[in-house]
Amino acid sequence: MSTSSVPRPEPAAQIGPAHPAPVRRAPSGLLPALALFAAVRLAGVAAVAMANHAMGRPLVRNLAHAWDARWYLHIAVHGYGDLIEITRKGAVQTDWAFFPLYPGLIRAVTTVLPLTPGKAALIVAWTAAVVAAWGIHRIGDHLYGRAVATALVVLWAVLPQSVELTVAYTESLFSALAAWSLYCVLTGRWLWAGCLAALAGLSRPSGFAVAAAVLAAGAYEAVRRRGRVPLALWAGCLCAPLGWLGYVLWVGWRTGNLLHGYFEVQRAWSSRFDFGAGSLSFLKGLLLHGGGFVYTADLVIVAAGLLLFCLLCLDRAPLVLVVFAGVLVLVVVGGSGSFSSKPRFLLPAFPLLIPLARALVGSGRVRPAQAVLVVGALAAVSLLFGAYVMTVARSPL
């Protein structure tokens, strides 16, 4: 593993200065990749709309108002500290559990455009999803070339849980900030990487995964070069965790417990790191007593994420990508909370798809029809599963 890109073979040794300036290539195949991504996700919206129509519901209202989306919209309109819910077990759930960047962007859009908060939330989420796909393509193209980059974007679009990219949730925004921060690390833009990591830390609780990746890559680079690194690297590493830390400390200050207040808020939502005890308890219950289709599918998705992380490590991917994906996998496996939400937490971990993308491109060169069939089948599963969890299943997203 390294923090730099995988070297591309050159036809002959180049003659030039000992440290030539890096050649910046224009992104190749970006527009077709984004077109494929948009087509799949628009098909996902259409599938949800048709399922809602069949059940006599508003076509796309649940995309903007389902589950956590209601909290984000309420924060965007009324700010923090105005919405509290008490569970049947007596836990007091507050809106401080939700990070501020997404509702802040919703409020900004409604301020400048005559849109309802729900429509603004979808515009922000859909725009961020495209920006995320763009960043993922840039990483894939930078490391492995155009074909793998396109495959990486398409595979991300057809994940079973990718319906989350079309609802008013933070996954698309977090993925966009994470992808571009990681790309900046891979290309040596350390200050940009740190600033984007700080914004990612303001987008959702798992935002610290980006900061961890930037810090790990920066430390590796400093050790490798024996401390002779540019000032921008130190500045980027310093900035990276500020967003997440800033919000956590702010919530702690508001609750009167600076260091532990935020974590007490999260515990009211049954969200804490229990080293996998909750996941093992869920697995035991599922094996002994069975469960619905959604929970079984969620278990398969999480297990696939673990396997793909092992393949990513064996693939000797850059350190920054391995750390980012590894932290997200660790949060999913070691954290408590509703198991039906765990696939959503894995959605931003796009580096997990790199081994699959490379294998798909390799097989596509030999058997292109088979590769197209595989992608088509994955897309069909993604659309059907997305429509099911949005309109039929009662499990929280």
Side-chain angles (χ1 to χ4, degrees):
M1 293 183 296
S2 71
T3 56
S4 59
S5 64
V6 173
R8 301 178 187 237
E10 296 292 340
Q14 295 182 354
I15 300 175
H19 301 283
V23 178
R24 299 193 181 188
R25 300 182 302 109
S28 54
L30 174 62
L31 291 181
L34 292 183
L36 288 171
F37 175 82
V40 172
R41 294 319 324 142
L42 286 175
V45 174
V48 172
M50 288 188 292
N52 280 328
H53 177 72
M55 300 185 71
R57 299 173 180 172
L59 296 183
V60 294
R61 178 177 172 79
N62 55 345
L63 294 179
H65 297 273
W67 299 102
D68 291 353
R70 298 180 296 107
W71 291 81
Y72 288 118
L73 295 179
H74 193 276
I75 294 169
V77 175
H78 303 286
Y80 281 100
D82 191 65
L83 181 58
I84 295 175
E85 289 188 359
I86 301 177
T87 68
R88 287 178 294 180
K89 296 182 179 180
V92 179
Q93 297 177 335
T94 68
D95 51 17
W96 287 332
F98 299 90
F99 278 55
L101 184 59
Y102 184 51
L105 291 174
I106 297 172
R107 189 181 187 106
V109 171
T110 57
T111 300
V112 299
L113 295 175
L115 296 173
T116 63
K119 292 179 180 178
L122 291 179
I123 287 177
V124 172
W126 293 356
T127 301
V130 174
V131 174
W134 180 13
I136 293 170
H137 186 276
R138 290 299 295 268
I139 289 175
D141 185 47
H142 177 75
L143 295 176
Y144 307 106
R146 170 180 177 176
V148 174
T150 301
L152 190 59
V153 170
V154 171
L155 287 174
W156 193 58
V158 300
L159 285 174
Q161 69 269 39
S162 60
V163 68
E164 311 290 353
L165 298 173
T166 50
V167 302
Y169 270 39
T170 57
E171 273 62 36
S172 56
L173 178 61
F174 174 55
S175 298
L177 294 167
W180 284 101
S181 177
L182 301 180
Y183 176 73
C184 288
V185 170
L186 292 170
T187 55
R189 299 174 175 89
W190 290 99
L191 186 56
W192 274 107
C195 292
L196 290 169
L199 289 175
L202 287 171
S203 64
R204 58 173 296 102
S206 55
F208 65 87
V210 188
V214 173
L215 290 171
Y220 176 87
E221 190 71 8
V223 171
R224 187 179 69 88
R225 298 174 60 176
R226 298 181 180 179
R228 294 190 290 270
V229 294
L231 181 61
L233 185 147
W234 301 114
C237 290
L238 180 64
C239 290
L242 294 183
W244 188 85
L245 283 175
Y247 183 71
V248 167
L249 292 176
W250 179 81
V251 173
W253 173 71
R254 290 291 301 269
T255 60
N257 188 344
L258 185 64
L259 297 180
H260 302 287
Y262 168 77
F263 302 101
E264 292 175 356
V265 168
Q266 286 289 354
R267 276 194 288 272
W269 289 84
S270 299
S271 178
R272 65 186 184 278
F273 191 82
D274 60 4
F275 298 94
S279 296
L280 290 176
S281 176
F282 166 81
L283 179 60
K284 179 181 178 181
L286 188 64
L287 293 176
L288 292 178
H289 309 293
F293 165 73
V294 171
Y295 287 106
T296 304
D298 293 337
L299 179 60
V300 171
I301 293 171
V302 172
L306 283 170
L307 175 61
L308 289 174
F309 179 70
C310 294
L311 294 176
L312 182 70
C313 295
L314 293 174
D315 201 47
R316 300 185 66 184
L319 176 65
V320 68
L321 301 184
V322 172
V323 172
F324 171 68
V327 171
L328 292 181
V329 169
L330 181 62
V331 169
V332 167
V333 175
S336 62
S338 174
F339 205 90
S340 63
S341 298
K342 290 184 181 291
R344 171 167 64 89
F345 300 157
L346 276 179
L347 181 59
F350 61 88
L352 297 176
L353 300 173
I354 288 176
L356 286 183
R358 298 184 71 183
L360 182 64
V361 169
S363 64
R365 288 172 179 151
V366 180
R367 294 180 291 272
Q370 184 179 7
V372 172
L373 181 62
V374 169
V375 173
L378 291 174
V381 171
S382 175
L383 299 182
L384 293 174
F385 185 74
Y388 180 80
V389 298
M390 289 298 300
T391 58
V392 179
R394 296 180 180 273
S395 306
L397 297 177

